[in-house]
Amino acid sequence: TGTYSVTATENGCTGSAGTTPVTIHQTPSALTPGSNSVVCSGNTLSLTANTVAGATYSWTGPNGFSSALQNPIIPSVTTDAAGSYTVNVTVNSCLGPDATTSVTINQTPLAPTAGSNSSICSGSTLSLTASTITGATYAWSGPNSFSSTLQNPTIIGATTAANGTYFVTATVSGCAGPAGTTSVTIHQTP
């Protein structure tokens, strides 16, 4: 960067100098991109890049994704958004190198179909059931502080305190789906 001058010499005579100013801009360094990956489908994917003064940002990614934001978000993300995201910056018309971050999107499971052997008489065994979801862990909750991590739990000698609605969720790869429900009626045995 600076002023450059040039002279011409002809037959031993040197003319006056011509000058031109030259500015060399620093090419920006590669960014350090990141994300909130691993994300469950249906949630928001947040991409991040470090701040570079005076920069414009350019993101590209799966599914034709592009953004000029420094820290773009993708709401209600699907598994199609999984993959590599590339970002670079331009400062003073100088394009920096690409940098990438890898994103994993896990599928959120559907609500399990919940059921029971209701209605039953008090003192009987209440059997709760949830549909099978591959790789899932289950979480049941219900009346009278009921909870269980079994797919198909039972309550032996159920009382009328077990009347009400039971909820079950399935979690796969850290992603909890919506709850399935079943209503239970327990009649008092005379």
Side-chain angles (χ1 to χ4, degrees):
T1 295
T3 301
Y4 288 76
S5 61
V6 60
T7 57
T9 303
E10 185 178 355
N11 296 324
C13 300
T14 301
S16 59
T19 61
T20 186
V22 172
T23 302
I24 309 295
H25 297 287
Q26 180 65 44
T27 298
S29 300
L31 296 171
T32 306
S35 73
N36 62 333
S37 177
V38 173
V39 177
C40 298
S41 64
N43 291 329
T44 298
L45 171 62
S46 299
L47 300 168
T48 59
N50 48 302
T51 300
V52 176
T56 57
Y57 292 79
S58 177
W59 284 91
T60 58
N63 260 356
F65 173 78
S66 65
S67 176
L69 298 174
Q70 177 183 350
N71 299 313
I73 62 169
I74 304 172
S76 300
V77 74
T78 67
T79 55
D80 292 337
S84 291
Y85 287 78
T86 301
V87 62
N88 59 45
V89 291
T90 301
V91 179
N92 295 318
S93 300
C94 296
L95 178 64
D98 289 346
T100 61
T101 186
S102 184
V103 168
T104 300
I105 310 292
N106 288 335
Q107 180 64 50
T108 299
L110 299 174
T113 302
S116 73
N117 62 337
S118 175
S119 70
I120 63 170
C121 297
S122 63
S124 299
T125 297
L126 173 62
S127 297
L128 300 168
T129 60
S131 57
T132 299
I133 298 174
T134 303
T137 58
Y138 294 86
W140 282 90
S141 64
N144 206 25
S145 301
F146 175 78
S147 67
S148 176
T149 58
L150 298 174
Q151 179 182 350
N152 300 312
T154 58
I155 300 175
I156 297 171
T159 68
T160 56
N163 276 326
T165 302
Y166 288 77
F167 302 87
V168 60
T169 59
T171 300
V172 178
S173 300
C175 297
T181 62
T182 186
S183 291
V184 167
T185 303
I186 299 177
H187 301 287
Q188 180 62 50
T189 300

